[in-house]
Amino acid sequence: QVQLVESGGGLVQPGGSLTLVCTASGSIFRNNVMGWYRQAPGKQRELVATIPRVGSTNYADSVKGRFTISRDSAENTVYLQMNSLKPEDTAVYYCHVLDSVSRNQYWGQGTQVTVSS
């Protein structure tokens, strides 16, 4: 069984920074894509960024140039560095892992990010 544990959310002022961390444990296969999604109140869950074990990162247009996703594959950990945060970035952020072979998906429990003065 796969478990994803997130940390790093919180309250930050506009223009501030936060770093989210997600560590996966259990039967994680080598070929996987790790990523972050978010869901704001009253809105659908949306992709923020993804990073495969090998290959290019992918970002939502709304966060390009402000957010950076990275991973430590040896530790099954994915990071999301968020800079120049805006009130519209306020949401619950979810860690996500996709097994590229079986197509099984796994989700974290979510961590709240609130951008407000």
Side-chain angles (χ1 to χ4, degrees):
Q1 186 162 348
V2 175
Q3 288 188 322
L4 305 180
V5 178
E6 301 136 333
S7 62
L11 172 64
V12 63
Q13 291 186 342
S17 298
L18 280 176
T19 300
L20 305 183
V21 182
C22 172
T23 299
S25 61
S27 299
I28 296 292
F29 293 93
R30 288 171 55 85
N31 292 324
N32 60 65
V33 180
M34 304 187 81
W36 293 92
Y37 287 71
R38 67 186 181 186
Q39 187 166 18
K43 295 187 176 181
Q44 290 188 332
R45 191 172 297 189
E46 63 177 5
L47 179 147
V48 177
T50 60
I51 181 169
R53 183 174 176 273
V54 177
S56 302
T57 55
N58 180 46
Y59 293 93
D61 288 342
S62 59
V63 307
K64 283 180 180 177
R66 299 187 299 120
F67 290 11
T68 302
I69 189 170
S70 60
R71 65 184 285 171
D72 181 340
S73 295
E75 298 296 330
N76 287 323
T77 299
V78 62
Y79 306 89
L80 186 68
Q81 175 66 45
M82 304 185 293
N83 298 326
S84 302
L85 282 161
K86 304 175 181 180
E88 51 263 44
D89 294 318
T90 296
V92 178
Y93 284 69
Y94 295 91
C95 181
H96 177 261
V97 174
L98 170 67
D99 181 339
S100 302
V101 176
S102 70
R103 311 304 292 179
N104 288 336
Q105 299 184 62
Y106 307 94
W107 292 94
Q109 79 284 359
T111 184
Q112 177 70 46
V113 172
T114 302
V115 184
S116 175
S117 55

